[in-house]
Amino acid sequence: MLEIEDLQVNAGEKQIIHDINITVESGKIVVLMGPNGSGKSTLCKSIMGDPSYHITKGRVKLDGEDITSITTYEKAKHGLFMVFQEPEEIDGLSALRFMRSAYLKLTNKKGDDFLKRLEEAKKMVQIKEDLLANSLNTTASGGEKKKLEILQMIIFGPKYALIDEFDSGLDVDSIKKISKIINELGIGSLVVTHNPAVLNHLNVDTVHIINNGGIVASGGPELANRIEKEGFAWAQKKS
């Protein structure tokens, strides 16, 4: 399992994340919901090792091993992957070359294995061929960038994934399709969203509500129903 224990995170001198505890079991989908600016993306980035954030307390464990302080590359080698809310654009490096290089380095497998994984992933995501040939994310729309991220997740085959706002920029049909992929991959997933409608398409195990950097409620999918009816106002009152 992926365990986030008593995590506190600072950005500079300001504390952003306060004593967060979340467990993502292998094969389970855990959803983290909250209003904009509540700390959802910060939590994911700090877990993945973004140098903009500093973990001041607590730890992150992957299958029992403390990975809090190891590098982002080492975390990826251990089987952790992140779907970014705003994927980076890299001019001059094609998406295909990037994915091939990353896959071979992470897995120590051969080019033929990558091509097989790529073909399988392309069928699942149904992505445009020109997006693979072009510089990474530079010509892609918001929705196409998300599809490229999901394509990478399928190809790399992580044990656990931090999936930040995958629905952003996608139409309803694409949200359903990617939700189906997340369900079928069967990896431990922490899915971040502020849109309760996304949960209609995911096989959700647990829902956590975050506000002002701390968890204010935890439960099952019924929490999303409350958010849909009442918004996050009640959670703000509790924080």
Side-chain angles (χ1 to χ4, degrees), residues 166-177:
F166 79 87
D167 54 303
S168 177
L170 293 179
D171 58 36
V172 174
D173 290 337
S174 294
I175 289 173
K176 289 180 180 179
K177 183 182 297 180

Side-chain angles (χ1 to χ4, degrees), residues 2 12 14 16 31 35 55 59 72 77-78 83 98 123 142 153 158 187 196 205 209 213-214 217 230:
L2 176 65
K14 184 178 180 181
I16 306 294
V31 171
I55 295 175
R59 60 183 180 173
T72 299
K77 288 281 285 185
H78 277 70
V83 173
F98 165 76
K123 289 177 183 177
M153 182 172 70
I187 63 176
D205 181 65
I209 309 297
E230 303 179 38

Side-chain angles (χ1 to χ4, degrees), residues 6 54 69 71 123:
D6 298 320
H54 177 57
S69 301
T71 66
K123 289 177 183 177

Side-chain angles (χ1 to χ4, degrees), residues 1-7 20-26 46-48 55 57-70 75 78-80 159-162 188 190:
M1 63 180 67
L2 176 65
E3 299 170 271
I4 303 157
E5 300 178 346
D6 298 320
L7 209 67
I20 282 187
N21 289 276
I22 295 175
T23 297
V24 182
E25 295 183 21
S26 178
S46 59
I47 291 170
M48 202 68 207
I55 295 175
K57 178 188 173 187
R59 60 183 180 173
V60 179
K61 293 168 64 179
L62 194 153
D63 291 339
E65 183 174 350
D66 190 338
I67 64 166
T68 311
S69 301
I70 64 177
K75 290 177 181 181
H78 277 70
L80 187 61
K159 296 179 182 178
Y160 302 91
L162 311 171
L190 179 62

Side-chain angles (χ1 to χ4, degrees), residues 88-119:
E88 291 288 334
E89 297 182 3
I90 305 178
D91 194 22
L93 176 64
S94 74
L96 183 61
R97 184 179 175 189
F98 165 76
M99 288 187 290
R100 184 181 186 279
S101 176
Y103 177 82
L104 297 183
K105 193 164 186 178
L106 285 172
T107 65
N108 295 320
K109 293 184 178 180
K110 298 180 180 179
D112 288 346
D113 294 303
F114 167 73
L115 292 175
K116 182 179 178 181
R117 297 281 294 184
L118 175 64
E119 289 306 312

Side-chain angles (χ1 to χ4, degrees), residues 116-176:
K116 182 179 178 181
R117 297 281 294 184
L118 175 64
E119 289 306 312
E120 292 171 351
K122 282 163 58 178
K123 289 177 183 177
M124 294 175 72
V125 180
Q126 296 180 0
I127 201 160
K128 296 177 182 177
E129 288 289 342
D130 61 339
L131 290 176
L132 300 177
N134 293 340
S135 294
L136 184 63
N137 293 322
T138 57
T139 62
S141 66
E144 288 170 337
K145 289 178 181 179
K146 293 303 173 67
K147 288 183 178 181
L148 279 169
E149 294 276 290
I150 298 298
L151 190 78
Q152 293 168 44
M153 182 172 70
I154 297 168
I155 291 170
F156 298 158
K159 296 179 182 178
Y160 302 91
L162 311 171
I163 304 175
D164 191 2
E165 303 276 6
F166 79 87
D167 54 303
S168 177
L170 293 179
D171 58 36
V172 174
D173 290 337
S174 294
I175 289 173
K176 289 180 180 179

